[in-house]
């Protein structure tokens, strides 16, 4: 059953990858005056429409040797990384969570973290316009899962986990100005839902793991660049990684 769940998760990742790439390149994640998100998938260079399959860089790399069929411009490597991350994250989340009622919600949380993390690494900002809708949808999916398993206390813990984890980071944001971004506090609503579904201890450990990973990355970066944390580093990807590690271990 775990292998089947991994296949389901992998297919979900492949299906989500073009949308993830589109979200990274256009609003609502970027404050750039480019065409609306509602327009078809387009080549990043010539802007000509492409099919859904051609919008998947992995497919395009195989079918057209890494170039647009219209303008022959190379497909950005970042898009290939996006696709591979969506595939890997989706498949591994399915494998660890299994074919359970909460799998759709867990897959949503895991896959949304891909574009959110890529944008945060590049722009130093959390895509809250994606995080908030994802949190609402995840809460509804957890509600649907509760209708199946009947564990209403688990749903209550999930909702309290999302709100409580976010509130904790908001407190840190105001108590230690510059130490924790408001975007990270907003992201914690989504992460707290997934961790809260698993358990109270997992919620705590997931937050601690995110802080530890982020601190190690930040110190290592400061030593390597000799900037010694004089610039604010993105923290969202490491919070997400810490949360997903705990979900993968304990789900």
């Amino acid at each position: 059953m775990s292998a089947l769940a991994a296949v389901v998760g992998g297919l979900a990742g492949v299906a989500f990858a073009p949308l993830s790439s589109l979200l990274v390149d256009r609003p609502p994640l970027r404050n750039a005056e480019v065409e609306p998100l509602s327009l078809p998938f387009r080549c990043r260079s010539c802007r000509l429409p492409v099919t859904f399959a051609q919008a998947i860089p992995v497919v395009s790399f195989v079918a057209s040797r890494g170039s647009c069929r219209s303008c022959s411009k190379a497909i950005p490597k970042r898009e290939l990384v996006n696709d591979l991350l969506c595939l890997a994250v989706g498949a591994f989340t399915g494998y660890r969570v299994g074919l359970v009622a909460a799998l759709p919600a867990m897959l949503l949380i895991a896959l949304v973290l891909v574009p959110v993390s890529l944008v945060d690494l590049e722009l130093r900002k959390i895509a809250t316009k994606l995080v908030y809708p994802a949190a609402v949808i995840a809460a509804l999916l957890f509600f649907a899962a509760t209708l199946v398993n009947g564990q209403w206390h688990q749903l209550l813990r999930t909702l309290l986990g999302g709100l409580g984890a976010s509130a904790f980071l908001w407190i840190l944001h105001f108590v230690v100005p510059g130490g924790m971004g408001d975007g990270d506090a907003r992201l914690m609503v989504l992460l707290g839902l997934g961790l809260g579904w698993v358990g109270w201890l997992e919620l705590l450990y997931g937050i601690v793991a995110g802080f530890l990973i982020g601190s190690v990355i930040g110190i290592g970066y400061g030593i390597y660049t000799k900037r010694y944390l004089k610039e604010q580093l993105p923290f969202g990807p490491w919070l997400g990684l810490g949360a997903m590690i705990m979900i993968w271990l304990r789900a």
Side-chain angles (χ1 to χ4, degrees):
M1 298 298 287
S2 295
L4 181 57
V7 172
V8 172
L11 291 176
V14 171
F16 181 76
L19 178 60
S20 175
S21 181
L22 190 68
L23 289 170
V24 171
D25 189 58
R26 304 191 197 178
L29 304 196
R30 290 172 177 269
N31 294 322
E33 294 183 0
V34 295
E35 62 262 30
L37 185 62
S38 59
L39 288 182
F41 294 98
R42 296 176 179 271
C43 169
R44 303 298 188 265
S45 299
C46 66
R47 314 312 298 171
L48 291 177
V50 298
T51 65
F52 181 82
Q54 292 172 338
I56 304 176
V58 172
V59 175
S60 297
F61 267 78
V62 174
S64 55
R65 298 180 181 179
S67 302
C68 171
R69 294 180 178 180
S70 300
C71 65
S72 299
K73 293 288 187 179
I75 299 173
K77 297 295 189 297
R78 182 189 67 187
E79 297 186 16
L80 180 60
V81 171
N82 170 85
D83 278 28
L84 294 177
L85 281 175
C86 287
L87 172 60
V89 167
F92 193 69
T93 299
Y95 176 76
R96 293 300 306 171
V97 175
L99 290 178
V100 296
L103 178 58
M106 292 301 189
L107 282 174
L108 174 66
I109 294 172
L111 291 174
V112 164
L113 282 174
V114 174
V116 168
S117 297
L118 291 177
V119 170
D120 194 23
L121 287 171
E122 182 181 355
L123 302 180
R124 305 295 197 269
K125 60 181 291 188
I126 295 295
T128 54
K129 292 182 179 179
L130 175 59
V131 169
Y132 280 160
V136 172
I137 296 173
L140 292 175
L141 290 174
F142 281 127
F143 175 77
T146 304
L147 293 177
V148 175
N149 63 23
Q151 301 294 321
W152 293 100
H153 69 280
Q154 190 175 26
L155 177 63
L156 178 60
R157 186 181 64 211
T158 299
L159 299 177
L160 292 177
L163 296 175
S166 178
F168 173 67
L169 263 67
W170 274 113
I171 293 174
L172 290 181
H173 170 69
F174 288 113
V175 172
V176 187
M180 181 62 60
D182 61 341
D184 299 323
R186 301 172 197 271
L187 174 62
M188 209 62 215
V189 174
L190 180 63
L191 301 179
L193 289 174
L195 290 169
W197 178 267
V198 180
W200 288 118
L201 283 179
E202 286 75 9
L203 175 64
L204 174 61
Y205 293 158
I207 296 175
V208 172
F211 273 89
L212 288 177
I213 295 172
S215 299
V216 170
I217 295 294
I219 293 174
Y221 177 82
I223 294 175
Y224 177 75
T225 60
K226 297 183 179 180
R227 296 179 182 178
Y228 302 105
L229 303 183
K230 292 182 179 179
E231 61 179 278
Q232 187 174 6
L233 298 177
F235 209 71
W238 319 124
L239 286 175
L241 179 59
M244 288 312 304
I245 287 176
M246 191 54 53
I247 290 173
W248 289 330
L249 289 175
R250 305 299 292 271

